[in-house]
Amino acid sequence: MANTLLSTQDLAVGYDGVAVVEHINFSLEAGSVCCLLGANGAGKSTFLKTLLGIQPAIQGTITVGEKPLSALSPKQIASAIAYVPQAHAKPFPFLVEEMVLMGRSADVNWYQTPKAEDRDRAYEALDSLGITRLALRRYTELSGGEKQLVLIARALCQQSQVLIMDEPTASLDFGNQIRVLDHIQTLKARGMAVLVTTHTPSHVRLIADRLALIEKGTGFRSGTVDALFTPQALSGIFNLSEARLCQLLGDTL
């Protein structure tokens, strides 16, 4: 039986009581990767913020493991779900090791100094991604690909079972995109459950077991890649004809 780590039941997400997306029934199992596709403004970010407990749900429930998200404290949510945002410049020039140690914030109070075991976990995360050499570099001085790997290391340092990644390959060159996708496959092999948003449909075939679609007017759908990664399902998402999608994606579909 599948080990479901994150699920939603008739979830509606939005702002100020107005739903952007409704009737979201979704599950994420251990050792799986789900890609989330949707046009800008369709509600992807709102959905992610709601899963992370940042934005309250308008309706329905979110279950983490066997517990409702609403019953968990922010620290408990951080222990259960790690989040990797898009790589970005930080206003302060933190060392890479300091950035990764921030992943221990769910277990280290603000007034405490990280312990030796926290630093060990940070360096284990860096080593697992092959970027230990960056530990004493300034995060602001890194390339886009290196920054993205550091953010993944920070999430791994949380030792959560669920990982949510918001466009982890955005603004990366082709080589770094493939490296990040390869690392996602490694995390899947370790038994993590990974939800990835992307604007690159071809990535779906490379990493995903399941696919979720958010479309304005149609709402939310999820299922196997074979069932949903089709010209018919994607044409509304990207406002392109089925014929044009076939031209662009070719054998990927």
Side-chain angles (χ1 to χ4, degrees):
M1 185 174 179
N3 181 13
T4 300
L5 300 180
L6 179 67
S7 63
T8 69
Q9 300 79 39
D10 200 28
L11 181 70
V13 301
Y15 297 92
D16 299 323
V18 179
V20 175
V21 187
E22 299 179 278
H23 309 301
I24 302 174
N25 293 292
F26 170 76
S27 64
L28 193 60
E29 284 74 38
S32 69
V33 176
C34 177
C35 278
L36 174 64
L37 298 180
N40 291 333
K44 298 191 306 298
S45 294
T46 307
F47 178 50
L48 295 189
K49 289 178 182 178
T50 306
L51 291 180
L52 292 163
I54 299 170
Q55 180 73 23
I58 290 178
Q59 177 183 307
T61 57
I62 301 169
T63 304
V64 182
E66 298 180 353
K67 297 181 179 180
L69 183 75
S70 58
L72 302 179
S73 69
K75 279 199 169 187
Q76 288 174 318
I77 294 172
S79 293
I81 306 174
Y83 174 58
V84 178
Q86 295 181 38
H88 57 289
K90 279 283 183 179
F92 300 105
F94 292 111
L95 294 176
V96 165
E97 69 170 6
E98 293 171 334
M99 285 286 294
V100 177
L101 272 169
M102 291 177 190
R104 302 300 303 151
S105 60
D107 297 288
V108 179
N109 291 315
W110 64 268
Y111 54 83
Q112 293 178 315
T113 300
K115 300 176 182 177
E117 62 190 65
D118 297 312
R119 293 189 180 278
D120 288 344
R121 289 180 181 178
Y123 274 86
E124 286 171 6
L126 288 167
D127 185 60
S128 71
L129 296 171
I131 55 172
T132 307
R133 69 187 186 282
L134 302 178
L136 300 181
R137 293 271 305 278
R138 299 289 178 186
Y139 177 80
T140 49
E141 298 172 355
L142 303 181
S143 69
E146 289 170 335
K147 286 178 180 178
Q148 194 63 65
L149 291 177
V150 169
L151 294 178
I152 294 173
R154 183 178 66 179
L156 294 181
C157 199
Q158 289 180 229
Q159 296 192 316
S160 306
Q161 288 186 291
V162 178
L163 179 62
I164 294 177
M165 310 179 81
D166 187 9
E167 297 181 37
T169 60
S171 302
L172 300 185
D173 61 50
F174 181 71
N176 279 317
Q177 287 184 33
I178 297 303
R179 291 182 188 95
V180 169
L181 296 178
D182 286 345
H183 284 304
I184 291 173
Q185 289 286 62
T186 299
L187 300 180
K188 169 188 169 180
R190 293 181 188 173
M192 293 187 72
V194 186
L195 175 62
V196 182
T197 69
T198 179
H199 282 304
T200 308
S202 58
H203 289 174
V204 172
R205 287 289 186 191
L206 293 175
I207 61 171
D209 305 288
R210 297 185 66 80
L211 180 60
L213 305 176
I214 293 182
E215 181 180 350
K216 291 180 180 178
T218 301
F220 186 94
R221 288 178 287 170
S222 66
T224 65
V225 172
D226 285 341
L228 290 182
F229 197 65
T230 65
Q232 295 83 1
L234 298 179
S235 61
I237 296 289
F238 299 111
N239 193 27
L240 292 170
S241 69
E242 294 178 23
R244 185 62 174 144
L245 279 169
C246 289
Q247 288 178 335
L248 293 170
L249 296 176
D251 294 337
T252 305
L253 290 170

